[in-house]
Amino acid sequence: MTSHSALVSAPSITALCAASASHVAIEAVLETGSTNADLLARLSDLGTLPGPLLRIADQQSAGRGRAGRSWLSTPGAALMFSLAWRFKGPLHRMTGLPMAVGVALAETIIGLGVPVQIKWPNDLLRDGDKLAGILVETCVDKTDGAIWAVIGTGINLLMPDALEQQIGRSVAAAPWLAQMDRNALVAALLSRLAAVLSEFDDTGFAPFAERWNALHAWHGREVVLLDDGQVRQQGRAVGVDAIGRLLLATPGGLVEVLSGDVSLRLSPDTPTGDTACS
Ligand code: ATP
């Protein structure tokens, strides 16, 4: 029987996956520090992996976000997994990967009945609050110089009050997804993700730009870019370009922003009633 907190089963996920993900090895554990850290350590130790590998945990004691930030969860309340995937490169193409992953996950979640949008570069928002975070970390295959990306995802299924207080901001959850069979949910996400990653490896981000822009949460809104708490850039968010850079309309013209470690916020003096959702 599957309950909300039950550990998923790797063979069940495999059995439910589409052909796009049939070659992905899956390991499920009850708890770990960080599934991203686990896979990166494995790649560092072994130099390579025999193929794509998904590692999923019921609970992470040291979940990671970008730039050393934390991803917080309680057992069974979130879906947390990391996928190690090998890319041909070139390295500069990888800048668009976090946004392509955002498209894959957003489209899957929408298809399952939960409306979400993407905040650049790749947070998934539900009604303006963060439902899911994505962390992409890369390393080089020591055997042949190809690129491994470890793609970590945390999706809030339930959000206990105590956890929201600990996070310290209003966050979203998707109880509708929490009612689904966990194995089927993971299989749906992994199948779409694998299809997108294969396509991305051949084409880069360009074919995904239009899809990302159709899901853009803050399209047309005044935003600020924060770098280490300091406002680095300000303008109107108009979407992403063919390599995944955020385009900001500023008085000085269009500015392209590479994701790096900057954080995007709505400009404090933006009226809240004019959310332009595409
Ligand atoms: P931000 O969300 O602040 O713009 P970011 O996109 O870099 O930054 P991530 O690295 O994806 O964020 O995630 C880390 C941040 O997410 C933390 O700083 C915290 O504010 C928030 N957070 C942590 N746990 C959760 C959670 N379970 N649900 C939603 N948000 C969370």
Side-chain angles (χ1 to χ4, degrees):
M1 192 183 93
T2 305
S3 75
H4 290 159
S5 58
L7 180 63
V8 293
S9 133
S12 302
I13 297 171
T14 301
L16 292 163
C17 273
S20 57
S22 58
H23 62 308
V24 179
I26 299 176
E27 46 184 54
V29 294
L30 270 172
E31 180 167 357
T32 188
S34 149
T35 52
N36 255 43
D38 291 346
L39 293 183
L40 285 167
R42 189 108 39 109
L43 280 162
S44 169
D45 289 349
L46 303 177
T48 189
L49 290 171
L53 172 61
L54 181 100
R55 184 168 169 83
I56 181 163
D58 257 15
Q59 172 62 345
Q60 295 190 7
S61 55
R64 308 200 311 206
R66 297 189 307 149
R69 291 184 279 270
S70 301
W71 181 264
L72 304 176
S73 58
T74 53
L79 201 63
M80 291 171 290
F81 61 80
S82 298
L83 175 61
W85 194 274
R86 191 176 187 278
F87 292 88
K88 302 190 279 274
L91 192 58
H92 65 80
R93 183 183 270 185
M94 304 302 283
T95 55
L97 180 61
M99 296 68 161
V101 171
V103 169
L105 298 180
E107 288 179 345
T108 311
I109 291 171
I110 292 166
L112 295 171
V114 178
V116 291
Q117 293 184 305
I118 311 177
K119 187 195 91 168
W120 184 86
N122 57 13
D123 281 351
L124 302 193
L125 305 187
R126 179 179 195 189
D127 296 329
D129 288 329
K130 185 157 160 173
L131 176 77
I134 296 164
L135 174 68
V136 178
E137 299 178 281
T138 51
C139 63
V140 172
D141 188 308
K142 287 180 188 158
T143 63
D144 65 0
I147 299 156
W148 281 95
V150 175
I151 299 159
T153 303
I155 304 171
N156 296 323
L157 301 179
L158 304 166
M159 182 47 63
D161 289 345
L163 179 59
E164 189 163 27
Q165 275 166 20
Q166 203 187 337
I167 295 167
R169 63 201 245 196
S170 172
V171 292
W176 174 251
L177 299 183
Q179 290 175 36
M180 267 185 80
D181 175 83
R182 279 284 161 105
N183 297 312
L185 177 56
V186 177
L189 291 161
L190 175 59
S191 298
R192 172 76 70 121
L193 193 51
V196 162
L197 297 181
S198 296
E199 187 182 345
F200 178 91
D201 199 21
D202 289 334
T203 64
F205 183 70
F208 298 97
E210 202 176 316
R211 284 155 70 181
W212 194 101
N213 284 323
L215 295 164
H216 186 185
W218 290 350
H219 181 76
R221 302 289 298 270
E222 285 295 323
V223 297
V224 292
L225 276 161
L226 301 178
D227 189 356
D228 213 10
Q230 304 295 310
V231 175
R232 200 182 89 185
Q233 191 66 254
Q234 193 154 2
R236 190 163 46 83
V238 295
V240 292
D241 67 8
I243 60 169
R245 292 175 303 189
L246 176 69
L247 300 173
L248 282 186
T250 74
L254 208 54
V255 173
E256 298 109 357
V257 186
L258 270 172
S259 85
D261 284 334
V262 292
S263 296
L264 191 65
R265 295 285 179 273
L266 286 172
S267 181
D269 45 18
T270 308
T272 49
D274 68 345
T275 314
C277 302
S278 41

